[in-house]
Amino acid sequence: MINQILEKIKEYNRIIIHRHIRPDGDCIGSQHALKKAIMLNFPEKEVYAVGDVIPDYLTNYGVLDEVTPDMYKGSLVIVVDTASKKRICGENYTLGDYIIKIDHHDDSEDYADINYVDEKIPACGAIITSLLRKWNLKINEEIATYLYLAITTDTGRFRFRGVNEEVMTNAGYLISLGVKIDKLYTNLYTKEKESFKLQGYVYQNFKTTQSGVAYIYFSQDLINEYGVTKDDAANLVSTLDSIKGSLIWVAFIEQEDRFEIRVRLRSRFVSINGVASKYRGGGHLQAAGATIYSLDEMNAILEELDVLHQEFKENNKELF
């Protein structure tokens, strides 16, 4: 299958690369690494990376292109890091002549002519790194930086499930090409002082369910009070990841219209994407997202997670 992908890349003169809505580092890094790699190795081709707004913390890593619907005619479309059709950013991908999907999500569905999915790999950027090396294509410092960005963000700086020898070896190879890790981490992980103040609020005000699921609710009023963005608030879900006895932690982020609440779910050991999928979401086994529309739904999702959490603890006492 990987040779089929390369042959299709060689076959088409225009290639349009899509990714998922509400992009993260893996998404942006994978998309722009693939674009730049194709341009470097096949300079005669037109290659475009499309999507909506890039989050503030990723604005240093990629500029989106504008394409018109008629440009899809006779084009190859590649969709990266996107499990389902409903998550693809931009509906025009269906206008392409041929569609290739490259993904790593556990709940991935087939929607392309070629669906290349490896759910054992913890980042789409790791898959693309492996593909580029197997294809013997040139990778420069810029491409390596995009790929390292993708891998380090989706693995939590190499801490999450799926990090193996191949992932680490490829990361080392990317570093050898000139990735400036200190600069990259500065861009990704330094925060405004307001975010640290809100982080203090999280430590003071998080709650737990009866079995120990940790959670925090960010109202729009609270976000405004602290002068942070919704993304700043959502990223603070990670501050709850080391509470003893809590294997699941959740952040609820109220949106501007106050009727929509984004949910970020994270876990250690426990598979939580099944619960996320019931609430208009999905993702990885231990990192997923969802969307709810009321406090009743928030309580319902917490109840489901609480039961799941308790059952896992009872069936895996050797871990504690």
Side-chain angles (χ1 to χ4, degrees):
M1 185 181 293
I2 65 172
N3 290 330
Q4 286 181 278
I5 296 173
L6 180 59
E7 289 307 310
K8 287 297 178 182
I9 290 173
K10 291 179 178 179
E11 177 182 343
Y12 284 86
N13 290 322
R14 182 183 294 134
I15 299 169
I16 302 173
I17 305 174
H18 282 251
R19 41 81 167 169
H20 63 70
I21 57 175
R22 297 193 289 275
D24 56 14
D26 188 22
C27 176
I28 294 297
S30 296
Q31 182 184 37
H32 286 83
L34 185 57
K35 171 188 171 178
K36 296 293 185 178
I38 295 172
M39 293 175 65
L40 176 65
N41 289 275
F42 306 100
E44 74 282 1
K45 297 184 182 298
E46 299 175 38
V47 191
Y48 303 95
V50 299
D52 53 12
V53 178
I54 297 176
D56 289 343
Y57 77 102
L58 294 171
T59 51
N60 291 320
Y61 299 101
V63 176
L64 295 171
D65 302 308
E66 293 186 8
V67 297
T68 59
D70 61 289
M71 292 173 65
Y72 284 83
K73 184 177 180 180
S75 296
L76 171 65
V77 172
I78 303 176
V79 185
V80 298
D81 196 37
T82 310
S84 61
K85 288 188 289 187
K86 66 181 180 181
R87 294 274 296 161
I88 299 174
C89 186
E91 297 179 354
N92 287 336
Y93 78 95
T94 59
L95 302 177
D97 186 60
Y98 198 89
I99 303 173
I100 295 172
K101 169 186 176 176
I102 302 174
D103 187 38
H104 70 121
H105 288 90
D106 303 285
D107 56 354
S108 213
E109 67 179 34
D110 290 347
Y111 54 75
D113 297 294
I114 295 177
N115 296 280
Y116 185 72
V117 180
D118 190 343
E119 68 279 357
K120 299 185 299 298
I121 302 300
C124 188
I127 295 176
I128 292 174
T129 303
S130 180
L131 290 175
L132 295 177
R133 298 193 72 183
K134 289 176 181 177
W135 292 336
N136 293 314
L137 296 184
K138 292 179 288 187
I139 303 175
N140 59 21
E141 179 184 331
E142 181 185 23
I143 297 165
T145 299
Y146 284 130
L147 291 170
Y148 196 90
L149 160 72
I151 296 170
T152 194
T153 52
D154 237 31
T155 62
R157 287 182 267 187
F158 304 95
R159 295 182 296 120
F160 297 158
R161 181 186 68 89
V163 174
N164 57 24
E165 180 181 1
E166 180 184 8
V167 172
M168 297 299 287
T169 299
N170 280 336
Y173 171 71
L174 297 174
I175 292 172
S176 76
L177 297 176
V179 177
K180 296 177 177 60
I181 297 177
D182 54 350
K183 180 180 178 181
L184 180 68
Y185 280 13
T186 297
N187 288 334
L188 289 177
Y189 299 116
T190 56
K191 298 182 290 189
E192 298 291 342
K193 60 181 181 295
E194 289 79 9
S195 290
F196 285 100
K197 292 178 180 179
L198 183 57
Q199 185 171 327
Y201 173 90
V202 173
Y203 289 137
Q204 292 290 331
N205 292 277
F206 76 88
K207 299 179 180 180
T208 57
T209 65
Q210 186 172 355
S211 72
V213 175
Y215 66 97
I216 186 72
Y217 185 89
F218 295 109
S219 68
Q220 190 60 48
D221 288 340
L222 184 67
I223 291 171
N224 293 338
E225 177 185 344
Y226 279 83
V228 300
T229 67
K230 297 188 301 297
D231 287 333
D232 292 333
N235 289 334
L236 289 176
V237 65
S238 62
T239 62
L240 301 175
D241 67 358
S242 300
I243 301 170
K244 192 171 183 179
S246 293
L247 304 179
I248 300 173
W249 50 100
V250 190
F252 298 94
I253 307 96
E254 188 177 83
Q255 303 301 293
E256 286 90 343
D257 61 11
R258 303 175 191 270
F259 293 104
E260 180 179 324
I261 302 168
R262 299 273 170 80
V263 188
R264 284 207 172 177
L265 303 97
R266 300 292 185 267
S267 70
R268 186 182 305 108
F269 305 122
V270 189
S271 297
I272 42 82
N273 63 334
V275 174
S277 66
K278 297 179 182 179
Y279 294 88
R280 310 165 195 89
H284 302 294
L285 292 177
Q286 293 159 359
T291 302
I292 58 177
Y293 293 99
S294 68
L295 294 181
D296 287 340
E297 283 196 309
M298 184 182 81
N299 291 329
I301 199 171
L302 285 172
E303 287 177 9
E304 289 195 46
L305 291 171
D306 187 66
V307 171
L308 183 66
H309 194 248
Q310 184 61 36
E311 289 177 349
F312 184 88
K313 283 185 169 183
E314 290 175 354
N315 294 328
N316 298 273
K317 293 181 179 179
E318 71 279 2
L319 295 175
F320 307 98

